[in-house]
């Protein structure tokens, strides 16, 4: 297999290993053989981080059947059940389940998938439970996966996280505008970004984009015009934009095939012309995929 230059800032997202995920995903959930091929390409390309979650269907179980010795594993806890009487016990049980599915005895990162619960009544107990697992050496870094930067304003008032995962892409400059892009590294927090392709929405030809996104037609038109002017592919533009920010430690990318991962790795290297500021959006209906079902 050809050895590629290591794109040290890329991480492999594995939600597709367990779910039919993504607005542009036409292949469905990835099977074990394809998952093995994707992980092999990741290893040969210098990718050292795999991102998964308990809520990602069979993702952890699929990964547990593969050789993961050369990877840092990051997983995420689901929502805490209402009225849970033993928060620490629940957190520990969830992590042990992840260990069993992943066939490992520790993980690099354990993130909380529902930041609003950390801000609620059980938040302090959840944070103490995560911190205790780190103290025991079962987890190297504890963190949170956020959806909007303002969540960090309240979270960091009371807690400190070693790792934060946040959405970030060409259209979504909220992390930059809020100041948190710069503040997180200054606070000693590792920043991983996801949604650089907006679940594939930024990669779609105009005639394949779902009609519900037509309300942003002027933005799409400018996006495609700029790509044509620069000669870049959508993948090249999206990746190189995120790679320009030294504050970002890892860019989490999900793929449907080994070939797709190879194309992403190759697209990451190269120059990026200046991006028009008019390509940015602040519309949460567009930037937050959890709202897309209501469009």
């Amino acid at each position: 297999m050809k050895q590629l230059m290591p794109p040290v800032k890329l991480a492999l997202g594995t939600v597709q290993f367990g779910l039919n995920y993504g607005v542009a995903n036409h292949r469905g959930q990835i099977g074990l053989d394809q998952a093995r091929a994707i992980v092999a390409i990741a290893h040969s390309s210098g990718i050292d981080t795999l991102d998964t979650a308990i809520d990602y269907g069979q993702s952890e179980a699929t990964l547990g059947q593969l050789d993961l010795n050369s990877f840092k594993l990051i997983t995420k806890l689901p929502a805490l059940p209402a009225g849970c009487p033993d928060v620490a016990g629940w957190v520990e049980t969830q992590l042990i389940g992840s260990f069993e599915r992943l066939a490992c005895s520790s993980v690099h990162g354990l993130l909380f998938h529902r930041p609003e619960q950390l801000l609620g009544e059980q938040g302090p107990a959840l944070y103490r439970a995560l911190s205790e697992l780190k103290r025991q050496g079962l987890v190297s870094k504890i963190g949170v996966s956020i959806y909007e930067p303002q969540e960090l304003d309240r979270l960091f008032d009371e807690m400190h996280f070693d790792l934060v995962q946040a959405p970030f892409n060409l259209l979504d400059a909220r992390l930059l505008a809020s100041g948190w892009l710069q503040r997180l590294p200054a606070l000693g927090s590792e920043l991983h970004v996801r949604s650089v392709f907006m679940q594939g929405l930024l990669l779609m030809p105009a005639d394949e984009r779902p009609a519900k996104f037509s309300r942003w037609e002027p933005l799409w038109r400018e996006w495609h015009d700029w790509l044509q002017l620069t000669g870049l592919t959508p993948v090249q533009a999206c990746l190189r934009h995120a790679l320009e920010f030294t504050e970002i430690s890892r860019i989490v990318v999900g793929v449907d095939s080994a070939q797709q991962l190879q194309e992403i790795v190759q697209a990451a290297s190269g120059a990026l012309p200046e991006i028009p500021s008019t390509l940015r959006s602040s519309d949460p209906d567009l930037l937050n995929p959890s709202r897309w079902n209501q469009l």
Side-chain angles (χ1 to χ4, degrees):
M1 184 177 292
K2 182 180 178 182
Q3 184 70 28
L4 302 172
M5 292 296 292
V8 295
K9 293 181 76 168
L10 294 184
L12 178 62
T14 64
V15 60
Q16 290 95 332
F17 288 21
L19 296 172
N20 183 2
Y21 175 84
V23 68
N25 180 3
H26 302 301
R27 304 186 189 201
Q29 181 181 330
I30 291 169
L32 179 60
D33 289 343
Q34 186 65 250
R36 182 175 288 109
I38 290 170
V39 169
I41 293 295
H43 174 66
S44 68
S45 302
I47 294 173
D48 68 354
T49 303
L50 301 179
D51 180 89
T52 187
I54 293 171
D55 276 347
Y56 290 172
Q58 295 297 309
S59 177
E60 288 186 332
T62 297
L63 286 169
Q65 299 177 67
L66 307 176
D67 180 4
L68 306 180
N69 288 330
S70 60
F71 293 101
K72 299 175 183 177
L73 302 179
I74 295 172
T75 193
K76 309 178 195 75
L77 295 169
L80 179 73
C84 179
D86 180 8
V87 173
W90 177 84
V91 170
E92 184 177 0
T93 298
Q94 295 299 311
L95 183 60
I96 290 172
S98 287
F99 287 167
E100 291 173 351
R101 290 185 291 274
L102 290 166
C104 66
S105 56
S106 66
V107 291
H108 177 69
L110 181 64
L111 311 186
F112 203 70
H113 220 164
R114 299 291 183 269
E116 69 276 6
Q117 289 196 320
L118 284 166
L119 297 169
E121 182 180 350
Q122 300 280 46
L126 281 167
Y127 182 72
R128 286 194 300 270
L130 289 172
S131 300
E132 175 59 20
L133 294 174
K134 178 183 173 183
R135 189 193 67 78
Q136 293 177 23
L138 299 175
V139 175
S140 298
K141 294 178 181 286
I142 61 170
V144 63
S145 176
I146 66 161
Y147 298 88
E148 298 177 345
Q150 57 261 39
E151 291 172 318
L152 295 173
D153 296 332
R154 294 178 60 197
L155 286 166
F156 272 80
D157 276 347
E158 304 293 335
M159 309 167 188
H160 174 79
F161 298 98
D162 306 306
L163 200 160
V164 171
Q165 188 183 108
F168 185 76
N169 56 64
L170 273 157
L171 304 186
D172 185 356
R174 294 174 298 172
L175 201 63
L176 180 61
S178 69
W180 277 106
L181 183 76
Q182 298 82 11
R183 289 177 66 187
L184 286 169
L187 291 169
S189 299
E190 189 174 326
L191 174 60
H192 292 195
V193 299
R194 64 178 187 276
S195 299
V196 290
F197 304 133
M198 293 184 75
Q199 294 189 20
L201 190 61
L202 284 168
L203 310 184
M204 286 181 167
D207 58 356
E208 293 182 15
R209 189 177 301 113
K212 63 184 178 181
F213 294 103
S214 60
R215 67 191 257 197
W216 296 284
E217 186 58 36
L219 188 63
W220 304 131
R221 194 178 304 116
E222 182 174 7
W223 168 234
H224 290 294
D225 287 348
W226 182 77
L227 289 172
Q228 186 172 20
L229 178 67
T230 60
L232 293 175
T233 68
V235 174
Q236 288 172 332
C238 291
L239 284 174
R240 294 176 191 179
H241 168 256
L243 285 165
E244 285 199 325
F245 294 90
T246 58
E247 298 90 347
I248 295 173
S249 296
R250 292 291 183 275
I251 300 163
V252 182
V253 295
V255 299
D256 302 332
S257 67
Q259 179 183 352
Q260 196 175 75
L261 182 57
Q262 284 183 314
E263 292 169 356
I264 285 173
V265 169
Q266 292 164 354
S269 300
L272 179 71
E274 184 176 355
I275 300 169
S277 60
T278 48
L279 274 176
R280 292 178 178 173
S281 173
S282 59
D283 190 338
D285 285 347
L286 175 61
L287 301 181
N288 189 342
S290 68
R291 298 193 182 202
W292 291 355
N293 286 334
Q294 281 74 53
L295 294 179

